[in-house]
Amino acid sequence: MATLIDGSRDLPSAFAHPHASAQAREIAMRGMILRVQVGSGVHGTAIGGQDDRDEMGLCLEPHEFVTGLATVPNGIGSDYGPVEFEQFQRHTAWDRPGGLANRSGAGDLDVVIYSARKWCRLALAGNPTVLLALFVPDEEVVFRNAAGAELVDNADRFASALAAERFLGYLRSQRAAMTGASPTHTNRPELVAAHGYDTKFAMHALRLGVQGIELLTTGRITLPVPEPELSFLRSIRRGDISLAEALAAIDDAEAQLVRLSDEPLLPPEPDRQWVNDWLHRHHLAYWAEQTRH
């Protein structure tokens, strides 16, 4: 069984953002079952203290949000109506002048705590970002209780051929952004000026290819990214690799993902029945515990 880790469940203060109300924060903290580092820090691709810290977690919801119609406020100080609870999301960069428009940088924390139901829906669909939480090494786990440990121990139940299209979609999106083919403008013009392309988009495009190939071949993702791929990713991030060479590596990874999509090695579908049972059991246990207290 995965190790239980009784770390911090404390989250940044509420904010004027639809998913950052004080009530959403309380739900996320009280019901938290898993909280891990994701992003460049856990991939091993961070460069010289330039990166923020990205964290992701899951929480169980109070019964009125699952069996009833309860909602949470739309952030704090908002004139908009209430929203369903799906997650608590907070970037500490918002605290600086400029608010929500600020880019996160070194020393900032970006954290999202999903409801377990939303996280499971995304993971069952093969979402590359949320699946990472199942494979984070213990030293990068902030908090994990018995419910979170059981989820991690059954990571294989989420792995399916459905992930191929998700990884391909994410890779292609990052590739389009790095080359300017996407209508989304880069928010890192300094990288384009220095290296001729957005090296961070390029690194993430190839990382998604590397991790997607591993998941679709073995059912798991190794974190941090193993060598020799890690050194090459870091070289791209630093701008030591030409645009042509980076594109060639990304295109090769994309071709491998396409082959794995056409000739899958994993089951066609994840184990939805097990996931449904896990959600049911742990919500009931959580509600019973809350009633006792």
Side-chain angles (χ1 to χ4, degrees), residues 15 29 50 54 60 92 128 137 141 153 184 215 221 257 259:
F15 200 81
M29 289 172 55
Q50 299 176 16
D54 295 304
L60 299 170
T92 57
V141 176
D153 287 338
T184 302
L215 178 70
I221 295 174
L257 285 176
R259 285 196 294 272

Side-chain angles (χ1 to χ4, degrees), residues 80-214:
Y80 295 99
V83 295
E84 293 184 8
F85 176 78
E86 292 187 325
Q87 67 215 48
F88 175 79
Q89 182 176 346
R90 184 70 158 86
H91 296 188
T92 57
W94 296 345
D95 293 324
R96 296 194 294 273
L100 297 177
N102 290 332
R103 287 172 53 186
S104 294
D108 289 325
L109 171 65
D110 293 354
V111 59
V112 57
I113 307 296
Y114 290 108
S115 75
R117 293 186 301 148
K118 179 175 181 177
W119 184 93
C120 284
R121 288 195 297 269
L122 294 171
L124 287 169
N127 182 288
T129 303
V130 302
L131 283 171
L132 288 173
L134 296 171
F135 305 106
V136 172
D138 286 355
E139 57 269 25
E140 302 294 351
V141 176
V142 179
F143 179 87
R144 184 167 62 206
N145 68 8
E150 184 182 354
L151 196 70
V152 169
D153 287 338
N154 287 274
D156 61 300
R157 298 182 185 272
F158 289 87
S160 78
L162 295 178
E165 285 302 315
R166 302 305 186 279
F167 274 88
L168 276 167
Y170 275 55
L171 180 152
R172 288 165 175 164
S173 176
Q174 297 285 317
R175 187 190 189 282
M178 71 172 276
T179 60
S182 167
T184 302
H185 297 293
T186 177
N187 63 354
R188 293 180 287 268
E190 69 281 3
L191 295 180
V192 178
H195 308 296
Y197 67 104
D198 189 316
T199 57
K200 194 168 183 179
F201 275 134
M203 180 272 292
H204 281 305
L206 183 56
R207 172 189 60 78
L208 285 158
V210 168
Q211 292 176 334
I213 291 165
E214 181 184 14

Side-chain angles (χ1 to χ4, degrees), residues 21-46:
S21 68
Q23 188 176 355
R25 177 178 181 268
E26 180 67 18
I27 292 170
M29 289 172 55
R30 188 182 295 273
M32 190 180 296
I33 62 172
L34 182 66
R35 179 180 181 177
V36 300
Q37 180 178 190
V38 290
S40 297
V42 77
H43 296 303
T45 55

